[in-house]
Short mmCIF file of all heavy atoms in Angstrom, two decimals:
data_model
loop_
_atom_site.label_atom_id
_atom_site.label_comp_id
_atom_site.label_asym_id
_atom_site.label_seq_id
_atom_site.Cartn_x
_atom_site.Cartn_y
_atom_site.Cartn_z
N GLY I 1 -0.46 -14.34 7.29
CA GLY I 1 -0.23 -12.89 7.39
C GLY I 1 -1.26 -12.05 6.65
O GLY I 1 -1.54 -12.28 5.42
N ILE I 2 -1.68 -10.87 7.19
CA ILE I 2 -2.56 -9.96 6.68
C ILE I 2 -2.11 -8.54 6.95
O ILE I 2 -1.65 -8.30 8.06
CB ILE I 2 -4.00 -10.10 7.16
CG1 ILE I 2 -4.54 -11.50 7.08
CG2 ILE I 2 -4.90 -9.07 6.59
CD1 ILE I 2 -5.69 -11.80 7.96
N GLY I 3 -1.97 -7.67 5.94
CA GLY I 3 -1.59 -6.32 6.16
C GLY I 3 -2.00 -5.38 5.04
O GLY I 3 -2.47 -5.89 3.99
N TRP I 4 -1.66 -4.10 5.18
CA TRP I 4 -2.05 -3.03 4.21
C TRP I 4 -0.83 -2.15 4.00
O TRP I 4 -0.02 -1.91 4.99
CB TRP I 4 -3.26 -2.27 4.60
CG TRP I 4 -4.54 -3.04 4.72
CD1 TRP I 4 -5.46 -3.13 3.61
CD2 TRP I 4 -5.02 -3.82 5.79
NE1 TRP I 4 -6.45 -3.93 4.05
CE2 TRP I 4 -6.28 -4.43 5.35
CE3 TRP I 4 -4.48 -4.19 6.99
CZ2 TRP I 4 -6.99 -5.31 6.15
CZ3 TRP I 4 -5.25 -5.09 7.76
CH2 TRP I 4 -6.44 -5.61 7.39
N SER I 5 -0.86 -1.61 2.82
CA SER I 5 0.17 -0.54 2.45
C SER I 5 -0.15 0.68 3.32
O SER I 5 -1.29 0.87 3.86
CB SER I 5 0.17 -0.19 1.02
OG SER I 5 -1.17 0.32 0.66
N PRO I 6 0.82 1.64 3.42
CA PRO I 6 0.47 2.88 4.26
C PRO I 6 -0.77 3.60 3.81
O PRO I 6 -1.49 4.22 4.67
CB PRO I 6 1.79 3.67 4.10
CG PRO I 6 2.83 2.66 3.92
CD PRO I 6 2.17 1.65 3.08
N ASP I 7 -1.04 3.63 2.51
CA ASP I 7 -2.32 4.43 2.04
C ASP I 7 -3.45 3.44 2.00
O ASP I 7 -4.58 3.87 1.61
CB ASP I 7 -2.02 4.98 0.67
CG ASP I 7 -1.67 3.96 -0.34
OD1 ASP I 7 -1.72 2.81 -0.12
OD2 ASP I 7 -1.32 4.47 -1.49
N GLU I 8 -3.32 2.20 2.40
CA GLU I 8 -4.41 1.17 2.41
C GLU I 8 -5.06 0.95 1.08
O GLU I 8 -6.17 0.51 1.00
CB GLU I 8 -5.42 1.56 3.52
CG GLU I 8 -5.01 1.21 4.88
CD GLU I 8 -5.99 1.50 5.96
OE1 GLU I 8 -6.19 2.64 6.37
OE2 GLU I 8 -6.60 0.53 6.45
N ARG I 9 -4.30 1.27 -0.01
CA ARG I 9 -4.83 0.98 -1.37
C ARG I 9 -4.43 -0.42 -1.85
O ARG I 9 -4.75 -0.95 -2.83
CB ARG I 9 -4.32 2.07 -2.27
CG ARG I 9 -4.88 3.46 -1.99
CD ARG I 9 -4.41 4.45 -2.94
NE ARG I 9 -4.70 4.26 -4.30
CZ ARG I 9 -4.46 4.98 -5.35
NH1 ARG I 9 -3.64 5.97 -5.16
NH2 ARG I 9 -4.89 4.77 -6.63
N THR I 10 -3.50 -1.04 -1.04
CA THR I 10 -3.05 -2.44 -1.28
C THR I 10 -3.24 -3.26 -0.03
O THR I 10 -2.79 -2.81 0.99
CB THR I 10 -1.59 -2.48 -1.82
OG1 THR I 10 -1.47 -1.63 -2.99
CG2 THR I 10 -1.20 -3.90 -2.11
N MET I 11 -3.78 -4.47 -0.20
CA MET I 11 -3.85 -5.40 0.92
C MET I 11 -2.98 -6.52 0.61
O MET I 11 -2.89 -6.99 -0.53
CB MET I 11 -5.34 -5.89 1.02
CG MET I 11 -5.59 -6.91 2.12
SD MET I 11 -7.30 -7.25 2.30
CE MET I 11 -7.24 -8.53 3.54
N TYR I 12 -2.33 -7.11 1.67
CA TYR I 12 -1.45 -8.19 1.51
C TYR I 12 -2.01 -9.39 2.26
O TYR I 12 -2.58 -9.24 3.36
CB TYR I 12 -0.08 -7.94 2.08
CG TYR I 12 0.62 -6.77 1.27
CD1 TYR I 12 0.70 -5.51 1.90
CD2 TYR I 12 1.07 -7.03 -0.05
CE1 TYR I 12 1.25 -4.50 1.13
CE2 TYR I 12 1.74 -5.90 -0.59
CZ TYR I 12 1.74 -4.67 -0.15
OH TYR I 12 2.31 -3.64 -0.86
N PHE I 13 -1.81 -10.61 1.78
CA PHE I 13 -2.36 -11.85 2.35
C PHE I 13 -1.41 -13.01 2.05
O PHE I 13 -1.01 -13.16 0.88
CB PHE I 13 -3.75 -12.10 1.98
CG PHE I 13 -4.33 -13.51 2.41
CD1 PHE I 13 -4.48 -13.77 3.72
CD2 PHE I 13 -4.56 -14.40 1.39
CE1 PHE I 13 -5.00 -15.06 4.04
CE2 PHE I 13 -5.01 -15.66 1.77
CZ PHE I 13 -5.28 -16.02 3.00
N VAL I 14 -1.14 -13.88 3.04
CA VAL I 14 -0.29 -15.01 2.85
C VAL I 14 -1.10 -16.33 2.86
O VAL I 14 -1.87 -16.45 3.86
CB VAL I 14 0.81 -15.06 3.97
CG1 VAL I 14 1.56 -16.37 3.86
CG2 VAL I 14 1.76 -13.97 3.69
N ASP I 15 -0.95 -17.11 1.88
CA ASP I 15 -1.55 -18.50 2.00
C ASP I 15 -0.22 -19.31 2.05
O ASP I 15 0.47 -19.56 1.03
CB ASP I 15 -2.25 -18.89 0.84
CG ASP I 15 -3.06 -20.25 1.01
OD1 ASP I 15 -2.68 -21.01 1.91
OD2 ASP I 15 -4.02 -20.56 0.33
N SER I 16 0.16 -19.93 3.22
CA SER I 16 1.50 -20.43 3.36
C SER I 16 1.86 -21.63 2.51
O SER I 16 2.91 -21.71 2.00
CB SER I 16 1.71 -20.77 4.91
OG SER I 16 1.66 -19.63 5.75
N THR I 17 0.94 -22.48 2.45
CA THR I 17 1.16 -23.76 1.63
C THR I 17 1.21 -23.51 0.17
O THR I 17 1.79 -24.22 -0.57
CB THR I 17 0.14 -24.90 1.92
OG1 THR I 17 -1.17 -24.32 1.73
CG2 THR I 17 0.33 -25.42 3.32
N ALA I 18 0.73 -22.32 -0.26
CA ALA I 18 0.93 -21.90 -1.65
C ALA I 18 2.25 -21.23 -1.85
O ALA I 18 2.56 -20.85 -2.95
CB ALA I 18 -0.18 -20.95 -2.08
N LEU I 19 3.05 -21.03 -0.76
CA LEU I 19 4.28 -20.40 -0.82
C LEU I 19 4.30 -19.03 -1.39
O LEU I 19 5.22 -18.55 -2.01
CB LEU I 19 5.32 -21.25 -1.64
CG LEU I 19 5.50 -22.76 -1.26
CD1 LEU I 19 6.29 -23.43 -2.19
CD2 LEU I 19 6.15 -22.79 0.20
N THR I 20 3.17 -18.33 -1.15
CA THR I 20 2.92 -17.01 -1.75
C THR I 20 2.42 -16.00 -0.91
O THR I 20 1.53 -16.15 0.03
CB THR I 20 1.88 -17.34 -2.93
OG1 THR I 20 2.38 -18.25 -3.77
CG2 THR I 20 1.62 -16.09 -3.75
N VAL I 21 2.99 -14.83 -1.04
CA VAL I 21 2.36 -13.54 -0.50
C VAL I 21 1.67 -12.95 -1.61
O VAL I 21 2.16 -12.49 -2.66
CB VAL I 21 3.45 -12.56 -0.01
CG1 VAL I 21 2.89 -11.46 0.66
CG2 VAL I 21 4.46 -13.30 0.88
N PHE I 22 0.32 -12.75 -1.39
CA PHE I 22 -0.57 -12.03 -2.45
C PHE I 22 -0.68 -10.64 -2.11
O PHE I 22 -0.66 -10.20 -1.01
CB PHE I 22 -1.91 -12.80 -2.49
CG PHE I 22 -1.85 -14.20 -2.94
CD1 PHE I 22 -1.98 -15.25 -2.04
CD2 PHE I 22 -1.84 -14.52 -4.31
CE1 PHE I 22 -2.02 -16.56 -2.47
CE2 PHE I 22 -1.79 -15.85 -4.76
CZ PHE I 22 -1.88 -16.89 -3.84
N ALA I 23 -1.01 -9.88 -3.16
CA ALA I 23 -1.36 -8.49 -3.08
C ALA I 23 -2.66 -8.29 -3.73
O ALA I 23 -3.08 -8.93 -4.72
CB ALA I 23 -0.27 -7.65 -3.69
N PHE I 24 -3.56 -7.37 -3.28
CA PHE I 24 -4.84 -6.99 -3.83
C PHE I 24 -4.98 -5.53 -3.91
O PHE I 24 -4.39 -4.75 -2.99
CB PHE I 24 -6.01 -7.61 -2.97
CG PHE I 24 -6.08 -9.03 -2.71
CD1 PHE I 24 -5.19 -9.61 -1.75
CD2 PHE I 24 -6.91 -9.83 -3.42
CE1 PHE I 24 -5.28 -11.04 -1.49
CE2 PHE I 24 -6.97 -11.17 -3.14
CZ PHE I 24 -6.12 -11.76 -2.27
N ASP I 25 -5.75 -5.02 -4.85
CA ASP I 25 -6.14 -3.64 -4.75
C ASP I 25 -7.25 -3.67 -3.66
O ASP I 25 -8.05 -4.54 -3.60
CB ASP I 25 -6.75 -3.21 -6.10
CG ASP I 25 -5.73 -3.23 -7.20
OD1 ASP I 25 -4.58 -2.84 -6.98
OD2 ASP I 25 -6.12 -3.68 -8.30
N TYR I 26 -7.17 -2.52 -2.77
CA TYR I 26 -8.09 -2.54 -1.62
C TYR I 26 -8.95 -1.27 -1.70
O TYR I 26 -8.34 -0.17 -1.77
CB TYR I 26 -7.37 -2.60 -0.34
CG TYR I 26 -8.21 -2.83 0.90
CD1 TYR I 26 -9.00 -3.98 0.98
CD2 TYR I 26 -8.26 -1.93 1.91
CE1 TYR I 26 -9.76 -4.22 2.16
CE2 TYR I 26 -9.05 -2.12 3.02
CZ TYR I 26 -9.78 -3.37 3.20
OH TYR I 26 -10.56 -3.50 4.16
N ASP I 27 -10.28 -1.48 -1.56
CA ASP I 27 -11.18 -0.28 -1.44
C ASP I 27 -11.53 -0.17 0.02
O ASP I 27 -12.37 -0.91 0.59
CB ASP I 27 -12.51 -0.58 -2.28
CG ASP I 27 -13.37 0.55 -2.27
OD1 ASP I 27 -13.33 1.48 -1.36
OD2 ASP I 27 -14.24 0.62 -3.18
N LEU I 28 -10.92 0.82 0.71
CA LEU I 28 -11.16 0.93 2.10
C LEU I 28 -12.57 1.37 2.44
O LEU I 28 -13.17 0.98 3.55
CB LEU I 28 -10.17 2.07 2.61
CG LEU I 28 -10.27 2.47 4.18
CD1 LEU I 28 -9.90 1.17 5.00
CD2 LEU I 28 -9.39 3.59 4.51
N SER I 29 -13.25 2.03 1.55
CA SER I 29 -14.67 2.47 1.80
C SER I 29 -15.56 1.31 1.92
O SER I 29 -16.52 1.40 2.69
CB SER I 29 -15.09 3.52 0.74
OG SER I 29 -15.14 2.83 -0.51
N THR I 30 -15.33 0.25 1.19
CA THR I 30 -16.24 -1.00 1.24
C THR I 30 -15.54 -2.15 1.87
O THR I 30 -16.23 -3.11 2.13
CB THR I 30 -16.64 -1.29 -0.17
OG1 THR I 30 -15.48 -1.72 -0.90
CG2 THR I 30 -17.38 -0.15 -0.80
N GLY I 31 -14.24 -2.08 2.13
CA GLY I 31 -13.64 -3.29 2.56
C GLY I 31 -13.46 -4.45 1.59
O GLY I 31 -13.60 -5.58 2.03
N THR I 32 -13.28 -4.01 0.34
CA THR I 32 -13.27 -5.06 -0.74
C THR I 32 -11.89 -5.16 -1.34
O THR I 32 -11.42 -4.15 -1.92
CB THR I 32 -14.29 -4.63 -1.84
OG1 THR I 32 -15.55 -4.47 -1.13
CG2 THR I 32 -14.38 -5.71 -2.89
N PRO I 33 -11.30 -6.34 -1.34
CA PRO I 33 -9.96 -6.60 -2.05
C PRO I 33 -10.35 -7.18 -3.51
O PRO I 33 -11.17 -8.03 -3.65
CB PRO I 33 -9.30 -7.62 -1.22
CG PRO I 33 -10.39 -8.41 -0.50
CD PRO I 33 -11.58 -7.46 -0.44
N THR I 34 -9.65 -6.71 -4.49
CA THR I 34 -9.90 -7.16 -5.89
C THR I 34 -8.46 -7.22 -6.56
O THR I 34 -7.46 -6.76 -6.01
CB THR I 34 -10.72 -6.19 -6.71
OG1 THR I 34 -10.17 -4.86 -6.68
CG2 THR I 34 -12.13 -6.17 -6.16
N GLY I 35 -8.44 -7.85 -7.70
CA GLY I 35 -7.27 -7.94 -8.60
C GLY I 35 -6.11 -8.63 -7.89
O GLY I 35 -4.95 -8.16 -7.79
N ARG I 36 -6.36 -9.87 -7.42
CA ARG I 36 -5.40 -10.58 -6.71
C ARG I 36 -4.10 -10.95 -7.62
O ARG I 36 -4.27 -11.25 -8.82
CB ARG I 36 -5.84 -11.97 -6.24
CG ARG I 36 -4.86 -12.81 -5.51
CD ARG I 36 -5.39 -13.97 -4.69
NE ARG I 36 -6.03 -14.94 -5.56
CZ ARG I 36 -6.44 -16.16 -5.15
NH1 ARG I 36 -6.27 -16.46 -3.77
NH2 ARG I 36 -7.05 -17.01 -5.87
N ARG I 37 -2.93 -10.74 -7.06
CA ARG I 37 -1.78 -10.97 -7.83
C ARG I 37 -0.64 -11.40 -6.83
O ARG I 37 -0.75 -11.31 -5.60
CB ARG I 37 -1.25 -9.72 -8.55
CG ARG I 37 -1.07 -8.52 -7.59
CD ARG I 37 -1.06 -7.19 -8.29
NE ARG I 37 -0.90 -5.98 -7.46
CZ ARG I 37 -1.85 -5.41 -6.83
NH1 ARG I 37 -3.24 -5.76 -7.02
NH2 ARG I 37 -1.70 -4.40 -6.02
N VAL I 38 0.50 -11.90 -7.40
CA VAL I 38 1.59 -12.40 -6.58
C VAL I 38 2.56 -11.29 -6.26
O VAL I 38 3.02 -10.61 -7.23
CB VAL I 38 2.32 -13.60 -7.30
CG1 VAL I 38 3.48 -13.98 -6.53
CG2 VAL I 38 1.34 -14.72 -7.45
N LEU I 39 2.76 -11.03 -4.98
CA LEU I 39 3.82 -10.10 -4.58
C LEU I 39 5.18 -10.92 -4.52
O LEU I 39 6.19 -10.47 -5.14
CB LEU I 39 3.58 -9.51 -3.24
CG LEU I 39 4.71 -8.61 -2.76
CD1 LEU I 39 4.74 -7.27 -3.47
CD2 LEU I 39 4.63 -8.45 -1.29
N ALA I 40 5.15 -12.10 -3.86
CA ALA I 40 6.43 -12.75 -3.69
C ALA I 40 6.06 -14.34 -3.60
O ALA I 40 5.11 -14.66 -2.98
CB ALA I 40 7.17 -12.43 -2.50
N ARG I 41 6.77 -15.13 -4.32
CA ARG I 41 6.63 -16.61 -4.17
C ARG I 41 8.07 -17.14 -3.97
O ARG I 41 8.96 -16.79 -4.71
CB ARG I 41 5.97 -17.14 -5.45
CG ARG I 41 5.83 -18.63 -5.40
CD ARG I 41 5.03 -19.08 -6.64
NE ARG I 41 3.55 -18.81 -6.49
CZ ARG I 41 2.73 -18.37 -7.46
NH1 ARG I 41 3.31 -18.14 -8.59
NH2 ARG I 41 1.55 -18.16 -7.25
N THR I 42 8.14 -18.15 -3.14
CA THR I 42 9.46 -18.71 -2.72
C THR I 42 9.36 -20.21 -3.02
O THR I 42 8.32 -20.88 -2.99
CB THR I 42 9.84 -18.42 -1.30
OG1 THR I 42 8.74 -18.87 -0.44
CG2 THR I 42 10.16 -16.99 -1.16
N ALA I 43 10.52 -20.83 -3.19
CA ALA I 43 10.64 -22.25 -3.28
C ALA I 43 10.59 -22.88 -1.93
O ALA I 43 11.06 -22.30 -0.92
CB ALA I 43 11.92 -22.62 -4.01
N GLU I 44 9.91 -24.02 -1.77
CA GLU I 44 9.76 -24.71 -0.44
C GLU I 44 11.05 -24.78 0.41
O GLU I 44 11.04 -24.59 1.64
CB GLU I 44 9.09 -25.92 -0.55
CG GLU I 44 8.58 -26.55 0.79
CD GLU I 44 7.61 -27.63 0.62
OE1 GLU I 44 7.27 -27.98 -0.49
OE2 GLU I 44 7.27 -28.33 1.64
N PRO I 45 12.17 -25.08 -0.13
CA PRO I 45 13.36 -25.22 0.68
C PRO I 45 13.75 -23.94 1.36
O PRO I 45 14.57 -23.94 2.45
CB PRO I 45 14.42 -25.67 -0.28
CG PRO I 45 13.69 -26.32 -1.45
CD PRO I 45 12.46 -25.60 -1.50
N LEU I 46 13.18 -22.84 0.87
CA LEU I 46 13.49 -21.51 1.47
C LEU I 46 12.57 -21.20 2.70
O LEU I 46 12.66 -20.12 3.36
CB LEU I 46 13.49 -20.41 0.53
CG LEU I 46 14.50 -20.46 -0.59
CD1 LEU I 46 14.22 -19.33 -1.67
CD2 LEU I 46 15.92 -20.41 -0.06
#
């Protein structure tokens, strides 16, 4: 999954096998995501 916050200052990206939804700071003018961090991480049984 890939998406953006309503103001497009945050980009979201899923790497499924890492069980993680990542968030990035997003520069719309250049299309550059930086500052990767975890938005949500779940245990595999979930």
Side-chain angles (χ1 to χ4, degrees):
I2 304 164
W4 291 267
S5 61
D7 62 6
E8 289 186 276
R9 297 178 63 181
T10 303
M11 179 177 177
Y12 300 104
F13 169 67
V14 170
D15 192 346
S16 294
T17 53
L19 303 173
T20 303
V21 183
F22 293 102
F24 300 80
D25 298 321
Y26 191 64
D27 185 341
L28 180 61
S29 65
T30 62
T32 305
T34 56
R36 180 166 65 171
R37 56 195 180 273
V38 172
L39 177 77
R41 180 175 284 137
T42 53
E44 189 167 355
L46 297 177

